Amino acid sequence: MSGSALCLASFVPLNSLVASEGDKPKIFSPSVFIKIDTDGIVTIVVHRSEMGQGVRTALPMIVAEELEVDWRKIKIEQAEGDPKYGDQITGGSTSVRKSWDPLRIAGATAREMLIAAAAARWNVKPSDCKAENGYVVNKLNNKKVGYGDLVEEASKLPVPQNVKLKDPKDYKIIGKKLHRTDSPDKIYGKAKFGIDIVLPGMVYAAVGRSPAFGATVKNYDDSVTKSLKGILDVKKVSTGVAVFAESTWQAFKGVENLSVEWNLGPSANVNSDTINNKLKEYLKTDGDLVEIKGNPDDAEEKNYRTLEAIYEAPFQAHAPMEPMNCTAKFENNKVEVWAPTQSPQEAREAVIKTFGLNEEDVVVYVTLMGGGFGRRTNPDFVVEAVELSKAVGKPVKVTWTREDDIKHDRYRPVSMHKLKGSVDKNNKLYSFSHHVIAPSIAVQNWGAKLTPKQYDTLGGAIEKDYIIPNYKITASIVDIPVPIWYWRSVYHSQNPFAAECFIDELAHAAGRDPYEFRMELLPDDSRMKAVLKTAAEKAGWGKKLPPGKGMGIAAFAGYDSFSAQVAEVTVTESKEIIVDKITCAVDCGIVINPDIVEQQMDSGIAFALTAALKGEITIRDGSVVESNFDDFPMLQFSEMPVVETHIMQNTYRVGGLGEVAVGPCAPAVGNAIFAATGKRLRKLPFRL
Amino acid sequence: MPKYSIFVNGKTKTVEVENGTPLLWVLRDNLNLIGTKFGCGIGICGSCTVLIDGKAEKSCSVSIESVEGKSITTIEGLAENRNNPLLKAWIEVEVSQCGYCQPGQILAAAALLNENPNPSDKEIEEAMNEVLCRCGTYNRIKKAIKKVVAEK
């Protein structure tokens, strides 16, 4: 399939495409996800955002399977932000698992209507017909009619309810390693990301941003900036001082030459130490009780071997390769936005609310994204672009520098974890307690009133499949002045790190093999047990390794999926940690496209390793110290381990994937470092 | 503003930009060659990699006046030949995820193979360490490069 066949009509309002001429419908569109024209061209509308995870392939595959069309002939169109699509947030590994039912139903409904239309034309029963490759076939005489020829008749039929979905054993598209529809354009340099949007009459903008969280502009001197070539205007805006120019580079230079005086506000004294000390205070408390089973506190009385440990994870920035940007046109109280957004509905609502506009006057077109990792679910950058366009009275593309991106991110929260556990006289796990100390994204951003069981900080903390005789989860929500936000797997990147490393500690304390120790805690029908077993077997768990090398294992349940990873590491004499290989087993239920599953495992592992081995975000004087890839480094080519992914084959309901590989990676590596060196590292990023 | 003549993808282009403007922004904002990406602006991430006289260079850190008279190839130039073995391998191996860094990755690989048609793993690593990918496509990039080498 050529890239051009998959043109993305992201800039054409959908309604104009379904316009009919006279009484004759030109497009058969029984749902918002499907449009079939009289030439038989099938357009599938993708309502989630493409940020690398392959939704422009996986979602159409689901529709195409039920619709019975020729995969090579479909067109793909990106939906704008509109409530008519239902949930559109690309986050929480939900794109496929939450679209699975609506998209299958949409495909099957259209298929049944096309069959009904053909059956009526031939005066036979629908059961005498079948759909195949974009045609309805009369099984009695093998006559066939293309979907395009049925547009008019099918459009007049009532939309049926409770259509029959295909049996997975009959799948022809789902489960195949089909090539991604978005790849060719990305490889030819033709793909349009947010940063590539150019509008007629557009100006380029950059913003001089605050030096501390919550700082506001006191006054500014733009005389030098205005003396530069290509500078069109300078304006004070909510996020700082905006420079409008004839090119991105001139806008950047204009900002560099501004002289701004700031009101620093109440956060100017905040440092990493003050935040860490605040978290540490909670180590002395019991925390709010979330879940308790048996008696997790009597192990010492029983003279069982008990352990206690503190684990820590720092702030992390998202740093997608495409820096934040947005293009907006504010004209006559109408707004059009071209945004690399993971949440076009929220972006649209934020614009409507911030500028007091009518709902029908705001359109948010979704562009490709050079990564997102949760950052682009926040509408801040979209609202800013609209404000800039309104301020200058022209269409504006605002581009954030990498420094803006890292210093003005909303960060993966910092966390501390107090773990306590014990093993009985038979060297079996007796008790396990986890006290999660972290700021809450929901509380900080929305003032959410949560009961302990609802704390968002617990993601991945509650053991899903392990059967632990005595067990306790407690949590403390810490109020901090650093903006925090969702980050690929967020709390699932922290809690499982602490828990899966601590289980390893308990296994070693019991003198047991960490893999066997875990297997014993899992019931036979556990999906987590199955992935653990697969990862261990495929990795050759237990094989003898030369000195300086070690193997570590960790298991994970989350996002309706399961994964286990075995890490093999080398620790050099200069104490460098090299991750040689990750053997990954994943169970995501029904697999849509195994090649994309493998990509998502590679991607989650690279993301997790960057956070586990490379940098962290630190705070000084109310501001982020790190600014670019020199002081906030990313995993490089030579640091990528061999990744071997094994996908479990089953027919469980489809699970998430985008974040599943992140959770087990850091603990597997931490456990491998222990195996190689005997040193237990309890703080991310790992430093020997 | 001064005028500069540069030779991009086999064609001479004249642009009027300030002295010191990085080639990256000339390509993107003046010539609409959007395949060259902005990533860090300090010559670390390599998303803006182009070929200058056949060598991989980070266009965010190369000023317009320094490339006058030199031959520049961007991903659009490379993609004029859809049978380019690197592009074909990239599609066959299905390297891309978000795709943002891939033009830079492909041009870095092209420069490597221009200079060294049969690179060792270590040589591939050294060359490709110049371009960052947040999606972890590194192993597939390695596979695609090796495929091109093997099929030569």
Side-chain angles (χ1 to χ4, degrees):
Chain A
M1 165 173 32
S2 82
S4 56
L6 292 154
C7 68
L8 293 157
S10 3
F11 311 129
V12 183
L14 286 174
N15 293 339
S16 73
L17 289 172
V18 287
S20 56
E21 226 175 71
D23 289 326
K24 283 196 171 178
K26 289 280 195 200
I27 305 270
F28 171 52
S29 182
S31 91
V32 293
F33 302 112
I34 298 169
K35 290 181 281 189
I36 302 173
D37 72 12
T38 49
D39 293 329
I41 308 252
V42 175
T43 302
I44 297 175
V45 179
V46 175
H47 65 303
R48 301 290 179 123
S49 305
E50 177 61 66
M51 55 184 181
Q53 83 287 35
V55 278
R56 286 188 186 177
T57 307
L59 299 188
M61 283 174 77
I62 299 170
V63 178
E65 180 68 67
E66 290 289 346
L67 188 53
E68 301 287 2
V69 286
D70 183 348
W71 173 250
R72 291 165 303 177
K73 290 184 184 159
I74 57 150
K75 275 187 163 184
I76 289 165
E77 190 174 290
Q78 180 69 46
E80 76 275 35
D82 194 312
K84 73 182 178 189
Y85 296 108
D87 183 358
Q88 266 186 293
I89 295 177
T90 303
S93 303
T94 59
S95 287
V96 166
R97 63 191 165 120
K98 287 208 178 160
S99 309
W100 175 240
D101 286 335
L103 293 186
R104 281 189 304 157
I105 291 167
T109 303
R111 178 193 71 216
E112 293 307 311
M113 290 171 79
L114 290 159
I115 288 176
R121 185 189 282 192
W122 292 325
N123 205 14
V124 296
K125 285 183 287 186
S127 56
D128 290 331
C129 305
K130 62 175 179 179
E132 202 175 75
N133 239 7
Y135 292 87
V136 179
V137 179
N138 183 339
K139 289 191 276 187
L140 306 172
N141 58 12
N142 276 330
K143 261 171 78 176
K144 62 182 193 173
V145 54
Y147 288 176
D149 284 340
L150 296 166
V151 165
E152 193 186 333
E153 290 140 275
S155 295
K156 290 176 183 159
L157 295 174
V159 178
Q161 304 296 313
N162 305 320
V163 289
K164 194 165 181 291
L165 300 173
K166 286 176 74 170
D167 187 323
K169 73 174 166 43
D170 298 325
Y171 284 164
K172 298 183 200 114
I173 292 173
I174 289 173
K176 290 246 163 67
K177 271 196 178 193
L178 296 180
H179 275 287
R180 291 175 59 136
T181 62
D182 55 344
S183 282
D185 277 0
K186 286 177 173 176
I187 284 158
Y188 301 144
K190 281 170 59 186
K192 282 208 173 173
F193 295 84
I195 205 166
D196 301 324
I197 300 296
V198 177
L199 301 180
M202 177 186 95
V203 300
Y204 298 81
V207 177
R209 300 175 192 277
S210 67
F213 305 121
T216 54
V217 176
K218 194 187 246 173
N219 52 56
Y220 66 95
D221 177 357
D222 60 9
S223 52
V224 180
T225 297
K226 283 192 163 164
S227 73
L228 300 174
K229 290 203 176 72
I231 301 295
L232 302 169
D233 213 338
V234 178
K235 301 252 184 206
K236 185 177 152 181
V237 293
S238 313
T239 46
V241 180
V243 174
F244 302 90
E246 289 170 7
S247 76
T248 314
W249 173 246
Q250 287 165 324
F252 286 174
K253 291 303 274 182
V255 168
E256 273 174 35
N257 284 282
L258 285 172
S259 173
V260 187
E261 205 183 324
W262 299 89
N263 295 309
L264 288 179
S267 298
N269 298 325
V270 174
N271 293 308
S272 284
D273 282 351
T274 55
I275 292 165
N276 285 336
N277 288 339
K278 195 163 183 187
L279 266 72
K280 268 184 201 154
E281 283 299 306
Y282 287 90
L283 290 172
K284 299 172 198 157
T285 70
D286 292 334
D288 309 324
L289 184 65
V290 178
E291 202 170 297
I292 190 162
K293 186 179 146 193
N295 191 346
D297 294 317
D298 69 353
E300 270 154 348
E301 286 164 35
K302 294 191 156 155
N303 264 331
Y304 289 167
R305 186 189 292 265
T306 61
L307 292 186
E308 207 174 296
I310 313 292
Y311 281 80
E312 290 176 66
F315 291 112
Q316 282 289 348
H318 300 79
M321 287 315 300
E322 179 191 14
M324 302 304 287
N325 67 83
C326 187
T327 305
K329 183 170 137 188
F330 188 110
E331 203 175 74
N332 302 324
N333 281 325
K334 288 186 197 292
V335 170
E336 284 180 284
V337 174
W338 290 260
T341 173
Q342 292 177 247
S343 186
Q345 290 172 348
E346 275 177 285
R348 181 164 171 257
E349 280 160 29
V351 170
I352 289 166
K353 208 171 140 204
T354 308
F355 302 96
L357 302 171
N358 296 321
E359 239 174 71
E360 63 273 21
D361 293 337
V362 178
V363 186
V364 175
Y365 305 112
V366 178
T367 68
L368 285 174
M369 277 175 274
F373 315 127
R375 174 65 183 91
R376 297 187 214 269
T377 53
N378 195 294
D380 60 338
F381 66 101
V382 178
V383 172
E384 178 186 69
V386 175
E387 184 184 348
L388 295 182
S389 176
K390 190 181 180 191
V392 77
K394 290 189 177 100
V396 170
K397 172 160 73 181
V398 56
T399 304
W400 297 37
T401 62
R402 178 57 66 188
E403 290 77 8
D404 289 341
D405 177 70
I406 288 180
K407 284 187 175 290
H408 297 271
D409 196 357
R410 290 147 189 266
Y411 304 88
R412 194 279 303 270
V414 65
S415 66
M416 279 187 197
H417 308 259
K418 187 174 175 179
L419 282 300
K420 234 179 121 176
S422 65
V423 286
D424 66 18
K425 301 274 196 251
N426 298 318
N427 292 321
K428 292 192 173 197
L429 184 64
Y430 176 76
S431 63
F432 181 94
S433 305
H434 187 168
H435 178 190
V436 179
I437 302 163
S440 156
I441 294 166
V443 171
Q444 186 192 75
N445 286 280
W446 299 284
K449 301 267 182 274
L450 306 173
T451 63
K453 274 197 190 305
Q454 298 169 324
Y455 286 172
D456 53 351
T457 59
L458 294 168
I462 301 190
E463 298 301 339
K464 287 235 168 82
D465 277 23
Y466 287 134
I467 296 170
I468 301 170
N470 302 286
Y471 172 76
K472 187 166 76 175
I473 298 285
T474 56
S476 301
I477 302 277
V478 189
D479 180 29
I480 60 156
V482 176
I484 53 170
W485 197 248
Y486 305 100
W487 179 93
R488 195 174 193 167
S489 86
V490 230
Y491 299 109
H492 283 86
S493 69
Q494 301 169 296
N495 294 316
F497 157 63
E500 280 294 299
C501 286
F502 192 63
I503 289 207
D504 219 67
E505 290 199 52
L506 288 162
H508 286 289
R512 304 277 309 278
D513 176 279
Y515 164 64
E516 298 291 344
F517 190 72
R518 283 178 174 81
M519 291 296 275
E520 190 178 88
L521 301 173
L522 293 162
D524 282 345
D525 61 350
S526 154
R527 292 169 72 184
M528 197 152 104
K529 189 171 199 170
V531 288
L532 255 180
K533 187 166 185 282
T534 300
E537 282 176 3
K538 298 287 181 185
W541 180 260
K543 71 183 174 192
K544 193 147 171 59
L545 295 170
K549 287 188 185 285
M551 243 188 205
I553 194 163
F556 176 83
Y559 310 98
D560 297 335
S561 291
F562 300 83
S563 175
Q565 291 176 18
V566 173
E568 280 179 63
V569 306
T570 301
V571 177
T572 65
E573 279 178 18
S574 56
K575 296 191 172 167
E576 197 192 344
I577 300 160
I578 298 164
V579 181
D580 300 310
K581 184 177 177 186
I582 302 279
T583 305
C584 172
V586 59
D587 170 2
C588 58
I590 288 177
V591 175
I592 311 296
N593 184 327
D595 205 37
I596 296 179
V597 176
E598 284 181 26
Q599 286 190 321
Q600 283 300 291
M601 296 301 105
D602 285 350
S603 182
I605 287 164
F607 193 81
L609 287 178
T610 298
L613 301 174
K614 308 291 282 188
E616 63 184 297
I617 291 295
T618 58
I619 315 293
R620 189 165 64 220
D621 301 334
S623 175
V624 167
V625 174
E626 293 72 26
S627 64
N628 205 319
F629 295 136
D630 49 354
D631 51 11
F632 188 65
M634 301 289 120
L635 195 81
Q636 286 181 289
F637 191 97
S638 61
E639 297 168 312
M640 184 75 189
V642 170
V643 175
E644 194 183 286
T645 292
H646 300 275
I647 304 168
M648 309 302 281
Q649 300 298 326
N650 59 48
T651 52
Y652 287 113
R653 194 182 159 77
V654 68
L657 277 169
E659 294 159 287
V660 174
V662 182
C665 187
V669 170
N671 295 338
I673 294 168
F674 178 79
T677 64
K679 281 199 181 134
R680 180 60 65 180
L681 301 184
R682 301 188 182 93
K683 193 174 173 182
L684 293 174
F686 294 126
R687 300 275 182 264
L688 270 164
Chain B
M1 276 191 284
K3 278 190 182 171
Y4 295 94
S5 282
I6 56 172
F7 195 62
V8 185
N9 299 332
K11 294 185 192 86
T12 302
K13 303 273 181 187
T14 305
V15 289
E16 214 178 316
V17 293
E18 261 179 287
N19 183 20
T21 303
L23 175 62
L24 165 67
W25 296 109
V26 175
L27 294 172
R28 288 184 56 79
D29 290 350
N30 296 81
L31 300 175
N32 198 30
L33 292 168
I34 54 152
T36 306
K37 300 300 191 207
F38 167 54
C40 70
I42 59 169
I44 290 182
C45 78
S47 285
C48 66
T49 300
V50 297
L51 299 184
I52 300 178
D53 288 343
K55 287 199 158 52
E57 301 275 0
K58 286 158 183 149
S59 64
C60 74
S61 303
V62 173
S63 66
I64 183 69
E65 59 271 24
S66 72
V67 294
E68 265 205 304
K70 292 186 180 170
S71 175
I72 297 153
T73 306
T74 69
I75 191 68
E76 290 88 348
L78 209 68
E80 276 169 23
N81 173 16
R82 291 286 157 91
N83 287 321
N84 177 298
L86 274 172
L87 302 180
K88 281 172 73 180
W90 241 255
I91 288 173
E92 282 162 24
V93 171
E94 196 64 270
V95 174
S96 298
Q97 289 186 36
C98 88
Y100 194 76
C101 70
Q102 295 305 332
Q105 303 281 5
I106 292 167
L107 288 161
L112 167 70
L113 298 184
N114 279 346
E115 209 165 89
N116 181 355
N118 195 11
S120 67
D121 277 16
K122 187 115 192 108
E123 286 164 334
I124 293 175
E125 280 180 9
E126 267 167 30
M128 300 314 293
N129 262 353
E130 294 295 311
V131 191
L132 298 176
C133 171
R134 277 292 254 160
C135 302
T137 64
Y138 297 133
N139 289 339
R140 290 196 184 209
I141 291 172
K142 190 184 273 178
K143 196 172 163 190
I145 294 172
K146 288 187 155 188
K147 189 175 163 67
V148 172
V149 170
E151 286 170 8
K152 252 186 193 159

